Amino acid sequence: MRALSGAAAPLLALLLLAAAVSGQAGGKYSRAANEEEAAAAAAASPPPSARPAAEFPLVRLNQVWEKAQRQLHLSAVKLAELHSDLRIQEKDELSWKKLKAEGLDEDGEKEAKLRRNLNVIMAKYGMDGKRDAPLGSTNYIKDGLEDDVLDDPRLEKLWNKAKTSGKFSEDELDKLWREFKHHKEKVHDYNLLLETVSRTEDSHKNAISSVEEGSLLKEEQLHQKHSELKEKLHSIKQGFERLRRVSHQGYDPTSEFEEPRVIDLWDLAKSANFTERELESLREELKHFEAKVEKHHHYQKQLEISHQKLKHVEGTGDKEHLHRNQEKYAVLEEKTKELGYKVKKHLQDLSGRISRGLPHNEL
C-alpha cells in the first residue's frame, strides 16, 4: 500500500478522532437511554414492598376474603358483614397465637373453638361446600321473594303465613325476616358444635384407658360442651316460640326490644341470677346496643342503595359521575365495615358477660 502524503495524514487523523468521540458519545447516550427506560419500567411495576398489602395478615383468612370477592355473588352488605366477621376472627386468632407461644393452650381447647368459629363463618356465607345459598345474598326482601331458604319446613310455613297475614308493614317484614335469618344462624352454630362434641366423644372412647393422662381434663371439657349445647338448644326453642307467636299475632307495640340478638340477650339475662339493679343496668346497655345495631342497619341500607346506583352509573359511561359515586360508595363501605365490627365485638362482650351470670341449674 502506498504511503499517505504529508497533507492527507493530518486530515485522516482528525477524521479518526471525530469518529472516536462520536462513538463514545453514542455509547453514553445509549446507556443513559437504557437506564431511563429501566427506571420507567421499575416505576410502572413497583417492588413487592410497595404493592398493596393483603386485606388480612393471616393467609387463611385472606384466602377466604379473596374467594368471597372472586367467586361468591354476595351483596355489598353481606361482603361488609363478612369483612367484620373475619376481622374479629383475625383478632381472636392473633390473641391465641400469643397464648400458645406462652404455653397457655396446652389442651388445644381455644384452638378448637377458633376452628369452629371459622366454620360457622364459612357456613353463614355459603363457603362450607354445601349447596345452601349464603344467608341474605341480596336484600332482605326482593319483589316479595327471598333468594335465601330457611332449611326448615316449620320456619317456611311460619314465614309464608306472616307474609300473607296483612299484619306487618314492609319495615316489620324486613325486621321479621332478620329474626328468621338469625334463628337459622343459631341452628347452624348448634349443629357445628354438635359435630365437634361428637368427634371429641369418639376420640375419648377410643382412648386406651379412662385413667390415661389428660382423660379427666377431656371429661371436663366434654361436660362444658354439653352444657353449651343445652344452652344453645334452649335458646333455639325459645327463639322458635317467639317466631311462632309473632308470626301469628304480629309485633307487640309495648315490646321492650326489637332487634333479635338483643331479645335473645335480654331473655338470657332475665333467666340468670342477676340482681334487680344489675338487670336494670343491663337493660340500659342493651338499649344503647340496639340503637347501635339500628344505626348499622341504616348504613347497610344506604350501602345497598349506593351499590345499585354505582352499577347503574357504570353503564352510562359518565366518568365524572362514576368517580363521585365510587367515592361515596367507598366511604359508606368503610363506615359499614367499621360499625359492623363494633356491633359484633359489643355483642361478643355482652354475650360472654351475660352467659357467665347464668346460674348453674340453667346450664
Side-chain angles (χ1 to χ4, degrees):
M1 183 180 292
R2 206 170 44 163
L4 292 172
S5 66
L11 180 60
L12 180 60
L14 285 171
L15 289 172
L16 289 172
L17 179 61
V21 170
S22 175
Q24 288 175 359
K28 281 185 181 178
Y29 177 79
S30 299
R31 284 196 300 275
N34 288 338
E35 287 170 3
E36 286 179 10
E37 189 175 340
S45 179
S49 60
R51 292 171 193 159
E55 188 71 22
F56 297 93
L58 298 178
V59 175
R60 178 174 50 172
L61 300 186
N62 206 55
Q63 287 173 341
V64 171
W65 175 244
E66 289 180 352
K67 178 183 177 183
Q69 290 184 301
R70 192 173 57 249
Q71 298 180 16
L72 300 182
H73 301 292
L74 294 177
S75 69
V77 168
K78 295 312 292 183
L79 270 177
E81 285 187 7
L82 172 61
H83 189 278
S84 299
D85 284 337
L86 291 176
R87 190 63 74 197
I88 290 173
Q89 180 74 12
E90 171 192 68
K91 185 176 180 180
D92 290 344
E93 290 203 19
L94 290 174
S95 297
W96 168 77
K97 284 179 183 291
K98 277 188 175 182
L99 289 176
K100 187 181 180 184
E102 295 168 4
L104 298 177
D105 189 28
E106 293 180 0
D107 55 7
E109 175 64 15
K110 289 182 175 62
E111 183 180 9
K113 185 178 181 181
L114 283 172
R115 280 200 303 268
R116 183 166 65 83
N117 288 346
L118 184 57
N119 286 338
V120 170
I121 293 172
M122 300 286 279
K124 179 179 177 182
Y125 296 95
M127 291 185 282
D128 57 348
K130 296 180 181 178
R131 62 179 181 85
D132 295 343
L135 289 169
S137 56
T138 60
N139 289 334
Y140 300 126
I141 300 175
K142 184 177 180 182
D143 301 326
L145 297 173
E146 299 74 43
D147 291 331
D148 191 16
V149 291
L150 294 169
D151 295 337
D152 185 336
R154 297 180 306 165
L155 293 181
E156 296 283 359
K157 185 177 179 180
L158 286 178
W159 172 242
N160 289 328
K161 181 177 180 62
K163 277 197 306 181
T164 57
S165 68
K167 295 177 181 176
F168 301 92
S169 66
E170 187 175 340
D171 286 343
E172 286 176 332
L173 276 178
D174 275 358
K175 185 168 66 175
L176 184 59
W177 180 241
R178 291 205 301 268
E179 288 203 47
F180 274 95
K181 289 198 304 176
H182 176 60
H183 186 83
K184 177 180 175 179
E185 289 172 15
K186 287 200 296 184
V187 173
H188 262 302
D189 195 7
Y190 173 81
N191 288 333
L192 284 168
L193 179 59
L194 187 61
E195 288 177 16
T196 302
V197 172
S198 297
R199 286 197 299 269
T200 306
E201 285 178 332
D202 290 341
S203 172
H204 189 59
K205 286 175 184 176
N206 291 333
I208 297 173
S209 168
S210 60
V211 294
E212 184 184 30
E213 184 180 356
S215 179
L216 291 176
L217 183 60
K218 288 180 181 177
E219 288 279 5
E220 184 181 345
Q221 289 171 3
L222 278 172
H223 177 71
Q224 290 175 350
K225 290 295 181 188
H226 279 290
S227 297
E228 191 178 346
L229 277 172
K230 287 178 184 177
E231 180 187 327
K232 287 183 180 296
L233 188 58
H234 178 64
S235 175
I236 287 170
K237 287 178 179 178
Q238 277 189 324
F240 180 79
E241 283 305 309
R242 171 180 165 76
L243 286 173
R244 187 186 61 77
R245 184 175 66 254
V246 172
S247 298
H248 283 81
Q249 300 174 7
Y251 279 106
D252 179 3
T254 64
S255 178
E256 195 151 17
F257 299 105
E258 297 182 355
E259 165 60 32
R261 289 168 291 185
V262 177
I263 293 168
D264 278 352
L265 288 172
W266 182 237
D267 287 342
L268 195 63
K270 287 188 295 185
S271 65
N273 59 348
F274 292 111
T275 64
E276 285 298 320
R277 187 174 178 178
E278 287 170 335
L279 271 179
E280 185 57 35
S281 176
L282 273 171
R283 178 190 280 111
E284 288 304 310
E285 186 174 359
L286 287 171
K287 283 180 181 177
H288 288 303
F289 176 63
E290 187 170 61
K292 189 185 292 184
V293 172
E294 285 304 316
K295 185 178 180 182
H296 183 223
H297 284 320
H298 169 74
Y299 271 94
Q300 285 180 316
K301 288 178 181 178
Q302 293 304 309
L303 180 65
E304 194 63 45
I305 292 168
S306 178
H307 185 246
Q308 295 300 326
K309 284 183 180 178
L310 185 59
K311 281 166 50 176
H312 172 72
V313 174
E314 282 174 349
T316 66
D318 185 341
K319 291 185 178 179
E320 184 180 346
H321 196 192
L322 176 62
H323 181 66
R324 285 200 304 270
N325 275 270
Q326 284 174 332
E327 286 185 337
K328 184 178 179 182
Y329 176 78
V331 170
L332 280 169
E333 183 183 37
E334 193 58 37
K335 188 65 178 177
T336 305
K337 286 177 182 177
E338 180 188 348
L339 270 173
Y341 174 76
K342 288 180 178 178
V343 163
K344 287 174 182 178
K345 283 303 292 179
H346 196 173
L347 175 64
Q348 200 176 59
D349 176 58
L350 278 167
S351 299
R353 282 160 47 204
I354 292 174
S355 294
R356 287 192 295 272
L358 283 171
H360 293 296
N361 60 2
E362 288 288 337
L363 293 176

